[in-house]
Amino acid sequence: MISQLRSIAAIMMIFASALVPSQLAAQTAPGVTLTDKQQKVLDYMLNDWNKPSRITGVELAMGDVGGQYSPDDRYAIGVFLKNNPRLHRTLRTFGWETAILTPNEKLIARIVSRAERENQNPPTREEFARIVEVSGAEVTDALEKLDRFGIMRRDPAVRGLGYRMAEDRYQDWEGAMRITFMNHRVQVEGEKPFEVY
Amino acid sequence: MLLVSGELKDKAVTIDDASQYSGERIHLVFENSRVKALEPATTRVFLGGG
C-alpha cells in the first residue's frame, strides 16, 4: 500500500514538474533572449514607463543609454516586447508597436493607413521623402523596417510605394487609448529626451 | 501640453511632433510654460483649460 502511494506521488511530481516549464514559457518569449546591452535598453524603457505619461521607445532609449546599437538590436528588443505584453501595463494599454517604431516609421504608417481607409493612393516614396523631410533611402529603410515587424507588407500593386498595411487593424488603429502611430518627443533642457503619450 | 503647463512649467522644453492630419512636422519650444518658438507658424497650441 505504501509503495503504491509512493508510486502515485512520484507520478504526480513528474506531472507537476512537466507543467511548470510550460506555465513559465507562456510568460516569456519562446526562443528570444536579449543580450546584456539589449537588456540594458529594456530596463531603461521599463523604468521610464513608470513615470507619468512616459512611453519612450526603443530607438530613443538606445540613444539615451548610449553605446553602439544596430537595427538588429532594435528588432530583437521589439520582438521581445511584442512577445511579452506582461512586462508592463504600458505595453498592454498602448501595444508594442508604438514602443518599437521610430517617429519616421510611425509617420509613414499613419499616412499610409489613412490613405487606405479613405481608398486613396498613398504618397509615393519621393512624396514621402518630402513630407517626412528625409532622403529617399531613409523612406525605403523605414518601409523595410515596418515590413520586418509585420506592420506593412510589400505589394507591387500599390503604385509608387509598393507597400500596404499588413493587417486591417493597422488601417483602423485610431481611437481611445490607441496611439499606435503617434509620437511626441520631449526634450527638457539639460536632460535626456523622452517620449510621452 | 499638460506636462509643459504643469510638471515642466519652470523649464525650457522642446517638443517634436507631427500634424495628425497632414503629417507635417511640428516643432515647439516652451520657456516657463510660454511658447517661445513654433514651426510651422500656423500651429495652434492648446495649453489646457475648460
Side-chain angles (χ1 to χ4, degrees):
Chain A
M1 180 66 181
I2 290 172
S3 67
Q4 216 172 8
L5 285 172
R6 280 183 180 158
S7 298
I8 291 169
I11 291 167
M12 292 297 287
M13 284 175 72
I14 291 166
F15 183 64
S17 65
L19 277 178
V20 170
S22 66
Q23 286 173 339
L24 289 175
Q27 296 175 35
T28 56
V32 177
T33 54
L34 297 180
T35 64
D36 288 348
K37 70 172 190 173
Q38 291 166 353
Q39 184 65 46
K40 200 173 170 185
V41 174
L42 180 66
D43 292 342
Y44 180 88
M45 293 172 72
L46 297 177
N47 181 56
D48 177 85
W49 296 349
N50 287 331
K51 298 170 187 168
S53 307
R54 298 288 189 97
I55 187 162
T56 296
V58 181
E59 183 208 33
L60 190 56
M62 290 192 306
D64 284 350
V65 167
Q68 295 291 316
Y69 286 96
S70 68
D72 285 340
D73 286 320
R74 180 162 71 97
Y75 182 73
I77 297 167
V79 170
F80 195 84
L81 291 172
K82 179 181 180 180
N83 292 343
N84 291 285
R86 293 185 181 181
L87 278 173
H88 202 280
R89 188 166 57 90
T90 293
L91 274 179
R92 297 190 295 279
T93 304
F94 299 110
W96 58 275
E97 296 91 340
T98 200
I100 60 127
L101 297 176
T102 67
N104 287 346
E105 291 161 0
K106 287 180 183 180
L107 199 46
I108 289 170
R110 195 195 311 175
I111 292 170
V112 173
S113 67
R114 184 182 179 197
E116 290 184 6
R117 277 200 308 276
E118 297 178 355
N119 294 315
Q120 305 288 322
N121 286 327
T124 64
R125 294 184 193 211
E126 293 72 26
E127 288 167 337
F128 262 127
R130 183 172 43 77
I131 294 168
V132 185
E133 299 174 21
V134 296
S135 68
E138 286 173 287
V139 172
T140 298
D141 182 64
L143 290 167
E144 288 172 355
K145 295 294 187 303
L146 286 158
D147 185 10
R148 191 178 186 192
F149 281 120
I151 294 167
M152 294 184 75
R153 63 180 164 83
R154 290 175 191 274
D155 184 350
V158 181
R159 280 184 301 152
L161 191 66
Y163 283 86
R164 66 168 59 254
M165 304 311 292
E167 297 177 33
D168 288 349
R169 68 189 179 102
Y170 291 135
Q171 289 179 348
D172 306 310
W173 58 274
E174 290 170 300
M177 305 302 277
R178 306 280 293 280
I179 57 166
T180 313
F181 301 135
M182 305 294 281
N183 186 263
H184 316 292
R185 188 167 287 190
V186 180
Q187 170 79 65
V188 179
E189 193 173 25
E191 297 179 18
K192 289 180 177 175
F194 56 90
E195 287 162 331
V196 297
Y197 51 81
Chain B
M1 292 306 108
L2 289 174
L3 278 173
V4 171
S5 58
E7 184 186 331
L8 305 175
K9 64 182 179 185
D10 300 323
K11 311 254 185 177
V13 181
T14 302
I15 297 176
D16 286 295
D17 212 311
S19 165
Q20 187 169 352
Y21 303 102
S22 68
E24 188 175 5
R25 301 282 191 190
I26 296 173
H27 180 79
L28 301 164
V29 180
F30 293 88
E31 268 189 19
N32 302 317
S33 295
R34 296 192 173 188
V35 178
K36 190 182 175 191
L38 79 174
E39 291 177 43
T42 52
T43 304
R44 291 187 177 187
V45 180
F46 178 65
L47 282 170

